[in-house]
Amino acid sequence: MDDRGLRNTFSARLKRVAARPEVVPIEFDGQKINVRRGGTLLGAAMKNGVRLMHVCGARTLCATCRVVVESGEDNLTPMRATEKFSLRWHLSVSPRTRLACQARVSGPVEVESVFPHCGELPNESLRGT
Ligand code: FES
């Protein structure tokens, strides 16, 4: 392969990589974080210091990792039967509610957790009074 061919191959590859960046910006409880494309919302939260509850260890049993998708729901993988069943079981039937341990990110999204984070009290007035 001559110089020109090598240059063209390299620039084509650069364009492909630029078109599909592996890092996706998301907003989790108002905190802007970068996550790996294809990773779960729970994994993204844990890697970025967002202490989202996940009592069952991502087995779709507890639904404590529940989040409400504020925007970008099309950038999450479709809901599988086990996730639907779990959300129905826990009476979370809103189409905007997802399990963070199951939803995988493919683009920018904005989510809010349903439960307080680990180690946080839900009401500020309960702290240290
Ligand atoms: S961690 Fe239990 S359902 Fe997601």
Side-chain angles (χ1 to χ4, degrees):
M1 185 181 295
D2 65 349
D3 266 1
R4 176 175 279 177
L6 192 61
R7 194 175 308 134
N8 287 344
T9 304
F10 182 70
S11 97
R13 183 173 161 79
L14 263 182
K15 282 180 188 162
R16 273 199 313 274
V17 169
R20 294 193 61 213
E22 292 306 310
V23 174
V24 177
I26 69 168
E27 198 170 315
F28 209 115
D29 286 341
Q31 187 178 336
K32 290 181 184 355
I33 57 179
N34 287 324
V35 305
R36 183 177 59 81
R37 183 187 299 275
T40 64
L41 284 170
L42 176 63
M46 300 313 290
K47 284 180 188 155
N48 287 280
V50 179
R51 299 180 67 197
L52 187 66
M53 274 205 271
H54 53 286
V55 172
C56 74
R59 287 183 289 167
T60 70
L61 300 173
C62 67
T64 54
C65 64
R66 242 175 295 175
V67 293
V68 174
V69 182
E70 300 291 341
S71 68
E73 52 266 19
D74 295 340
N75 291 328
L76 294 173
T77 50
M79 218 183 275
R80 292 188 341 200
T82 50
E83 184 180 358
K84 275 185 194 161
F85 180 80
S86 178
L87 287 169
R88 260 190 239 131
W89 180 261
H90 291 95
L91 305 176
S92 285
V93 289
S94 161
R96 290 176 43 223
T97 305
R98 297 293 307 265
L99 295 180
C101 66
Q102 301 301 307
R104 293 186 178 274
V105 180
S106 63
V109 296
E110 193 181 326
V111 297
E112 294 284 331
S113 58
V114 171
F115 293 102
H117 295 174
C118 297
E120 285 181 4
L121 292 174
N123 186 342
E124 289 290 323
S125 65
L126 295 175
R127 290 187 185 178
T129 53

